[in-house]
Amino acid sequence: MAKPLPLAVWDRHAGRLIEEFMDDHPSTYESRPRRSLNQWLESEPLYDWLLAAYQNTHRSARQIEPFIRKHKIEMSEFKPVIYRSFAEFFDREFRPGARTFVAASNEMAAFAEARYFGWNRLDAGQQFPVKGHSLGAEQILGNQNRAAPFVGGPVLLARLSPMDYHHVHYPDDGLTLDSARLGRSLWTVNWHALQNQPDILFRNERQIDILETKNFGRLAFVEVGAMSVGRIVQVHPRETAFQRGEEKSVFKFGGSAVVVFGEPGKWRPADDILEHTAQSVETLIRLGDTIGLRATQS
């Protein structure tokens, strides 16, 4: 049977190890999602549509205060708004100045407030976090031609929990070169589930954008819808150049993930992300903080 499991997370800001477990939504942390009836139902786009319809009602606003208390969300960091539904609360925005983006050109800024894994490169035989796969660029990006520049390059995998700020920002200045949308299902994206259902990231609905950045070369930026998050809304026009820290997109309700592939030799993930990934521990990082370093030129 599928069973809910806690997730070990290193909180960089607090400097301590924590365990995350949503006991009110146990299927979010199922270890074997396809053996869970709840997960089967919740992975379907129709479920996402029905849930979204309810979360946009005034009645859903009753969930907000208990949710804030349970997850100890610091609301002073967010704009003072009267939320008319849980969906409006889920889309909350930080106050100006609540988060800042690292300015050094050789430091990649965190595109999301999330839990990160990172690798300098992915080996073909790697079993973590995707059992039997290697977070292969070709599978996630949809074809060999799109994936070719990123084979053997660095990878970041960021997971957003339902209690998080769900807006995604650009990690550097640049331009969008290409876009695609793939997938359909909405399975949970925590790594316990990935270990037992390895094709989740290759099946889930996902938005792919190929970004040419000023300081880190070309990035394949993949926003992955997860349980109850089938709507990835693009905020920034793709035909317009973007700047570091500008809002890129927003996930609508639930958990979600972002996978970023880089070109070999252009940059590497931050040391603490690499260290904790080797221990199968995610690193919780604030929006705008350093997640990667540009490779030094010889």
Side-chain angles (χ1 to χ4, degrees):
M1 294 177 62
K3 61 179 180 179
L5 295 171
L7 297 174
V9 178
W10 177 264
D11 185 332
R12 178 195 279 180
H13 182 73
R16 61 187 178 92
L17 189 69
I18 60 175
E19 279 195 340
E20 290 190 344
F21 183 80
M22 295 184 66
D23 55 337
D24 54 344
H25 293 86
S27 60
T28 302
Y29 289 78
E30 294 284 5
S31 62
R32 298 183 180 182
R34 289 192 180 172
R35 299 188 186 184
S36 165
L37 178 60
N38 284 345
Q39 283 269 311
W40 269 110
L41 294 172
E42 294 172 10
S43 72
E44 291 299 312
L46 176 59
Y47 175 85
D48 175 72
W49 185 89
L50 293 171
L51 182 61
Y54 172 73
Q55 299 295 4
N56 277 282
T57 65
H58 292 302
R59 184 181 181 86
S60 69
R62 298 183 301 177
Q63 303 173 55
I64 297 173
E65 285 302 324
F67 191 87
I68 291 171
R69 291 195 303 269
K70 180 177 182 61
H71 298 292
K72 299 179 175 62
I73 298 172
E74 184 51 70
M75 292 305 295
S76 64
E77 296 183 330
F78 296 91
K79 293 179 180 178
V81 174
I82 297 175
Y83 301 108
R84 295 167 296 178
S85 67
F86 193 85
E88 287 190 2
F89 164 73
F90 187 80
D91 290 348
R92 64 194 179 277
E93 298 179 16
F94 282 126
R95 289 177 181 264
R99 296 291 185 273
T100 57
F101 281 73
V102 60
S105 63
N106 68 324
E107 298 183 27
M108 182 184 292
F111 47 81
E113 187 135 332
R115 297 130 192 82
Y116 288 79
F117 284 132
W119 300 266
N120 279 321
R121 61 170 294 155
L122 293 169
D123 298 322
Q126 181 172 308
Q127 297 290 302
F128 179 82
V130 185
K131 186 177 180 181
H133 292 272
S134 185
L135 276 180
E138 184 174 343
Q139 295 96 321
I140 293 179
L141 299 180
N143 64 58
Q144 187 176 25
N145 288 338
R146 190 181 291 128
F150 309 105
V151 174
V155 183
L156 289 168
L157 170 60
R159 177 180 62 86
L160 288 73
S161 284
M163 72 283 287
D164 287 335
Y165 168 85
H166 264 71
H167 299 254
V168 177
H169 295 248
Y170 289 103
D172 195 26
D173 301 350
L175 295 167
T176 301
L177 303 181
D178 186 27
S179 296
R181 200 171 185 99
L182 301 174
R184 176 182 180 275
S185 299
L186 299 170
W187 298 101
T188 181
V189 293
N190 82 78
W191 72 263
H192 287 313
L194 294 177
Q195 282 282 293
N196 288 280
Q197 190 55 56
D199 63 350
I200 285 173
L201 291 177
F202 317 137
R203 293 171 57 89
N204 273 20
E205 183 169 341
R206 57 201 186 277
Q207 174 63 51
I208 299 167
D209 290 299
I210 306 301
L211 310 180
E212 185 70 49
T213 65
K214 180 179 179 180
N215 296 293
F216 305 99
R218 191 166 295 189
L219 305 176
F221 198 95
V222 187
E223 293 151 317
V224 184
M227 190 169 59
S228 308
V229 192
R231 291 156 296 133
I232 305 166
V233 178
Q234 192 70 25
V235 174
H236 190 279
R238 290 194 176 89
E239 64 275 10
T240 304
F242 53 80
Q243 295 182 327
R244 178 183 298 226
E246 279 192 292
E247 185 178 356
K248 181 186 184 297
S249 57
V250 59
F251 287 100
K252 296 292 186 178
F253 191 72
S256 46
V258 179
V259 185
V260 174
F261 297 95
E263 298 174 286
K266 296 290 187 178
W267 58 276
R268 62 177 177 81
D271 290 339
D272 60 341
I273 297 178
L274 293 172
E275 177 185 347
H276 294 129
T277 298
Q279 302 167 4
S280 304
V281 173
E282 295 168 303
T283 303
L284 175 59
I285 297 176
R286 288 189 166 199
L287 177 71
D289 287 355
T290 302
I291 55 170
L293 298 170
R294 186 173 62 205
T296 56
Q297 301 298 317
S298 57

